[in-house]
Structure formats: structure tokens, C-alpha cells
Amino acid sequence: DIAPETEDIYFENSKEQIVPVCHSDSPDDLHVGHQEKVFNFHHLHNQTSVRSRGYGIGNPLIGLPPHTKAGYYTQPGSQYNEASMKKKVVIGQHDDNRKFTSKKWEERLRTSEEKDAILQAAQDAAKKLVDQVTDNAASRRANKRRNRGGLSSAGF
């Protein structure tokens, strides 16, 4: 481990110890890769302290303003990694702009009046269906009686 200000000198000196195995057309003679310049917030070496102490508070101990992004690494897929956060897709909204993202929240965001209206509509539809079935059954019975022959319902 070396200090950031001496790493260029270290890499130049270490190139002499590397023996090439074969010919390379690479423009680089060192395979360290791209590196960002080292930046320590307020010259703090422990970057985990560069974080907010609460929502909208910031960190008054180190002068971090509110709503500043934290200075520590988060794993991909973590709920704290902004790149891994899924965007919410609104699938609908109720009358007074109550937006919902799933059927579960559609039900949860309904008012009691809306729930009562839906229940009443379902009960009315069920009653209508029962009435249709009983009417059909009665007309089938009447048809069976007529098809048997004999006297009609008028008595002739």
C-alpha cells in the first residue's frame, strides 16, 4: 500500500521488474487500468463517516449539507444503491388523484364509500343472475309440461 501522491513513481519503478512474455500492440505498458484521482471529503480518510445523520439533516459534524449522496460504496442490488432502485410504474388512479402501483394498493386506497358501492354492485349483479336462473328454470318447467301433451294450461 502506497500513498496516492507517490503511486506514479511506484508504477514507473515497478515497470522495470515486469518481463514481457510476448509481443504486445497495447498502447499501455502498465495494466493497472483507469483510476480516478483520490478525493477525500474534508480530508477524511474514513469515507463511511460521510453520510447523513437523518433524513434532511445532513451531517453538521463534518459540514455535509442535507440531501447529499452518501460517500460510501453500496453493492449492486442494494436498496441503498440508486442504480438498483426500480422506478415505480403507476397502473392507475382513483378519482381524486390517488395513484396506485398494484391491485393490492388499488384496494387499499379505496374509500369506504367506494368499497360499499363495489360491494352493492356485486350483490346487484348476483341477484340479477339468480333471478335469470329462476326465470329460466320456471320457463323450462312450463315447456316440459306443454310438451308432455294433454291439456294445456288454459284447460282446452
Side-chain angles (χ1 to χ4, degrees), residues 107 110-124:
E107 177 63 29
R110 283 191 180 122
T111 61
S112 58
E113 292 84 17
E114 290 173 332
K115 290 178 183 178
D116 292 341
I118 290 171
L119 182 63
Q120 186 63 40
Q123 288 174 346
D124 291 345

Side-chain angles (χ1 to χ4, degrees), residues 84-102:
S84 299
M85 292 183 189
K86 295 177 182 171
K87 305 294 181 212
K88 291 188 177 182
V89 178
V90 177
I91 62 170
Q93 71 182 39
H94 293 297
D95 294 336
D96 53 350
N97 204 20
R98 289 171 287 147
K99 298 177 181 175
F100 51 88
T101 57
S102 67

Side-chain angles (χ1 to χ4, degrees), residues 5-142:
E5 58 270 2
T6 62
E7 79 181 0
D8 289 334
I9 298 167
Y10 173 76
F11 290 143
E12 287 297 324
N13 292 339
S14 65
K15 279 189 223 177
E16 297 169 3
Q17 300 171 1
I18 299 172
V19 178
V21 177
C22 62
H23 173 72
S24 173
D25 292 325
S26 173
D28 298 323
D29 55 353
L30 183 67
H31 302 291
V32 173
H34 174 74
Q35 291 182 329
E36 297 291 336
K37 293 290 182 191
V38 174
F39 169 74
N40 289 334
F41 184 79
H42 286 272
H43 305 290
L44 294 170
H45 295 290
N46 184 2
Q47 293 296 296
T48 59
S49 61
V50 182
R51 63 186 175 104
S52 177
R53 296 295 173 193
Y55 180 77
I57 296 174
N59 191 339
L61 298 175
I62 60 172
L64 191 68
H67 305 294
T68 304
K69 187 178 172 188
Y72 51 87
Y73 174 77
T74 54
Q75 290 278 349
S78 167
Q79 60 185 353
Y80 301 109
N81 187 337
E82 291 180 12
S84 299
M85 292 183 189
K86 295 177 182 171
K87 305 294 181 212
K88 291 188 177 182
V89 178
V90 177
I91 62 170
Q93 71 182 39
H94 293 297
D95 294 336
D96 53 350
N97 204 20
R98 289 171 287 147
K99 298 177 181 175
F100 51 88
T101 57
S102 67
K103 292 291 184 182
K104 175 175 81 174
W105 279 103
E106 178 183 17
E107 177 63 29
R108 285 184 177 181
L109 291 174
R110 283 191 180 122
T111 61
S112 58
E113 292 84 17
E114 290 173 332
K115 290 178 183 178
D116 292 341
I118 290 171
L119 182 63
Q120 186 63 40
Q123 288 174 346
D124 291 345
K127 186 174 191 287
K128 183 177 178 182
L129 183 63
V130 167
D131 291 343
Q132 285 177 347
V133 168
T134 53
D135 289 345
N136 287 343
S139 65
R140 277 196 305 260
R141 270 184 262 139

